[in-house]
Amino acid sequence: MMTNPKLEQGLAIRKAVLGAAHVERSLAAADDFNKPIQELVTTYCWGEVWGNEDLPRQTRSLLNIAMLTALNRSHELKVHVQGALRNGVSKTEIQAVLMQTAIYCGVPAALESFRVASEAIKTYTE
C-alpha cells in the first residue's frame, strides 16, 4: 500500500477495532485486482470516517450493527459485532440494538443478525 497519513491512521484504527489478525489476513489476501478497494476502505472508511472524533467508537459500532442488519450483510456484521465488543460495547447494548432493528428493519433481518451476533460473541477473542 502507498503511504499517506489517512491510510496509516485508518490502518491503526481498523486494527484496533477489528483486530490486527483479521486486518492482516484481509491485506495479505489482496492481489492486484482487489488491492485498490482495500486501500480505499482503509483510507476513507477507517481513516476519514472512523478517524473523525465527533462520535465515539462505541456509537459507531452500534450504528454499524444496525446498518449491517438493515442491509443483511451477515459476514460484515460478525466482524463488527466482535469489533463492538473490542470497543467496549456490552452484549446488552448489542442485544438492544438488534431488538430495535426487529421493529425498523423487520423480524427476519433481526433474527438473522441475532444468529450471527450470537456466533460472533461465542467466538470472540481479544
Side-chain angles (χ1 to χ4, degrees), residues 28-98:
D31 56 24
D32 289 339
F33 180 74
N34 59 26
K35 183 178 177 182
I37 193 67
Q38 288 294 327
E39 289 179 355
L40 178 83
V41 166
T42 303
T43 301
Y44 292 103
C45 175
W46 295 101
E48 292 286 342
V49 175
W50 278 78
N52 176 302
E53 296 180 4
D54 291 343
L55 288 175
R57 288 187 185 173
Q58 294 88 349
T59 302
R60 291 185 189 282
S61 286
L62 292 170
L63 286 166
N64 278 8
I65 290 168
M67 291 183 289
L68 292 168
T69 295
L71 294 169
N72 196 23
R73 300 295 190 258
S74 297
H75 173 74
E76 291 295 317
L77 177 65
K78 181 178 180 181
V79 170
H80 280 280
V81 166
Q82 291 178 338
L85 294 168
R86 196 170 284 108
N87 279 337
V89 174
S90 72
K91 293 176 192 175
T92 302
E93 290 169 315
I94 294 168
Q95 181 185 53
V97 166
L98 292 177

Side-chain angles (χ1 to χ4, degrees), residues 100-121:
Q100 188 153 342
T101 65
I103 304 305
Y104 289 94
C105 302
V107 172
L111 285 170
E112 172 66 6
S113 290
F114 264 100
R115 184 191 65 72
V116 170
S118 292
E119 181 62 27
I121 290 166

